[in-house]
């Protein structure tokens, strides 16, 4: 039950990338989507845990918000016990924003990992749909146990970011949490608070006569330089406050937020300035193409066009090719052949290539080993696509394990 003696403050949490996760449920429980009549079960669960106070009002809210759009019913998850009784719920809400909300488990069934499994199910849906967009949730200090769960799923507390019309009350919420959780739990919450841009004096930068600086945007995943534009003091401030690149147009003499009309936004992962203080560099998460021509990068007119050294970035290129073949099948395509045959065939090929790599190594055949590993990585790329997993998910798992 919710302890309403704990002061209420808005807490916003955000997960920037959903990692693959194994969903485990205790024996006898399963998770399904909405079925007609579940509005009664939803209202009962929310009232039992104290999130709602009136069964009729809760049912009316559910009907109004979620049953008006049939597509939403496939985003409402229920955990059911062996008798088929709904004992928990979570919603993978989407209205332009992706929001995990209304997570609740009947008190008699808490402590079994059901809430975690519900959250993981919703998050897996988000990951398979589009893992380039963040997932948000709104909570409050009286749900401090849930905050620890959300952190374990990759969410971070947001000191400034918010959603809808919520007032971000991070400072008040953290002060409240400090008084009710253990020092170790509070330290975990602090450690999983999103980075806030360091305070610095923009006047220390070397702005040109027009009060501008060049700002370079670089793809945070591939390292590719995407574009160069200009910032003034106000656009830099807005970039730091919002977390999204905002520039100043010299031709229009006005601010413009990248993607405000096209949707091709740039979420800033890192922002720094050079040794002379006269150029800004941003590593960004680019949604869609950066260039107005539709190219990923504005720098697509080579003058000297030598072969750049091959890196692991080629796997992203292969993954993009596999995704394109899946969306636009081509006659005679081996990739389409594998995708059409399905998971079992793909897994057999992965096993075969792994075995051939081992054989090449046992023969100390270095050239053969390079070729077999290349074959293995290609087939792994097909398998990852088949399972809705990106190479970046693999890199994130490795980073989490080894840093």
């Amino acid at each position: 039950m919710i302890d309403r003696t704990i002061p209420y403050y808005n807490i916003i949490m955000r997960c920037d990338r959903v990692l693959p996760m194994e969903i485990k449920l205790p024996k006898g429980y399963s998770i399904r989507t909405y079925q007609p009549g579940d509005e009664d079960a939803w209202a009962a669960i929310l009232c039992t845990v104290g999130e709602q106070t009136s069964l009729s009002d809760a049912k009316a809210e559910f009907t109004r918000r979620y049953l008006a759009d049939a597509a939403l019913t496939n985003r409402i998850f229920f955990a059911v016990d062996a008798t088929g009784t709904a004992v928990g719920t979570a919603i993978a809400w989407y209205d332009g924003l992706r929001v995990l909300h209304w997570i609740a488990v009947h008190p008699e069934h808490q402590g079994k990992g059901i809430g975690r499994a519900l959250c993981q199910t919703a998050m897996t849906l988000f990951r398979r749909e589009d893992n380039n967009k963040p997932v948000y949730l709104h909570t409050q200090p009286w749900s401090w146990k849930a905050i620890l769960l959300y952190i374990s799923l990759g969410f971070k507390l947001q000191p400034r970011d918010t959603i809808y019309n919520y007032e971000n009350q991070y400072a008040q919420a953290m002060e409240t949490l400090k008084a009710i959780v253990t020092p170790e739990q509070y330290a975990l919450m602090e450690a999983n608070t999103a980075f806030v841009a360091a305070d610095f004096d923009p006047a220390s930068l070397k702005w040109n006569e027009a009060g501008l600086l060049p700002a370079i945007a670089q793809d945070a995943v591939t390292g590719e330089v995407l574009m160069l534009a200009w910032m003034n003091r106000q656009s830099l401030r807005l970039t730091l406050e919002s977390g999204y690149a905002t520039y100043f147009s010299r031709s229009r003499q006005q601010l413009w937020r990248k993607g405000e009309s096209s949707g091709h936004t740039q979420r800033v992962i890192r922002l720094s300035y050079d040794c002379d203080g006269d150029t800004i560099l941003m590593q960004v998460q680019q949604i869609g193409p950066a260039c107005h021509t539709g190219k990923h990068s504005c720098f697509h007119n080579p003058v000297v066009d030598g072969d750049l050294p091959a890196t692991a970035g080629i796997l992203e290129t292969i993954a993009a090719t596999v995704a394109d073949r899946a969306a636009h099948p081509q006659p005679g395509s081996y990739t389409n052949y594998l995708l059409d045959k399905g998971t079992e065939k793909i897994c057999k090929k992965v096993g075969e290539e792994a075995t051939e790599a081992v054989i090449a190594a046992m023969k100390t055949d270095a050239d053969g080993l390079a070729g077999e590993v290349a074959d293995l990585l290609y087939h792994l790329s097909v398998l990852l696509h088949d399972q809705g997993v990106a190479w970046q998910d693999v890199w994130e798992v490795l980073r989490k394990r080894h840093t």
Side-chain angles (χ1 to χ4, degrees), residues 223-236:
E224 183 179 11
V225 175
L226 299 175
M227 58 178 282
L228 183 147
W230 294 84
M231 286 186 174
N232 62 8
R233 287 173 174 81
Q234 185 180 3
S235 65
L236 175 58

Side-chain angles (χ1 to χ4, degrees), residues 316-339:
E316 301 292 346
T317 301
I318 294 171
T321 300
V322 172
D324 183 70
R325 292 291 186 274
H328 309 98
Q330 295 187 7
S333 165
Y334 178 63
T335 299
N336 284 128
Y337 164 77
L338 290 174
L339 293 173

Side-chain angles (χ1 to χ4, degrees), residues 212 229-232 234-236 238 246-258 260-261:
L212 302 175
W230 294 84
M231 286 186 174
N232 62 8
Q234 185 180 3
S235 65
L236 175 58
L238 291 173
T246 301
Y247 301 102
F248 180 81
S249 170
R250 294 176 297 172
S251 60
R252 301 193 304 272
Q253 287 293 296
Q254 66 183 40
L255 299 171
W256 62 284
R257 178 167 167 169
K258 178 65 176 173
E260 60 189 346
S261 58

Side-chain angles (χ1 to χ4, degrees), residues 20 32 63 70-71 78 80 86 94 101 130 140 150 155 171 178 183 243 245 261 288 302 314 322 350 388 393 395:
R32 59 167 175 77
T63 302
F78 288 91
V80 297
Y94 179 76
H101 71 165
D130 185 352
Q140 54 283 318
Y150 303 144
F155 282 90
K178 191 172 186 178
S261 58
I314 188 63
V322 172
V350 168
D393 298 331
W395 310 146

Side-chain angles (χ1 to χ4, degrees), residues 34 56 62 164 170 173 293 324:
Y34 169 85
S56 59
F62 184 93
Y164 304 128
Y170 172 81
T293 64
D324 183 70

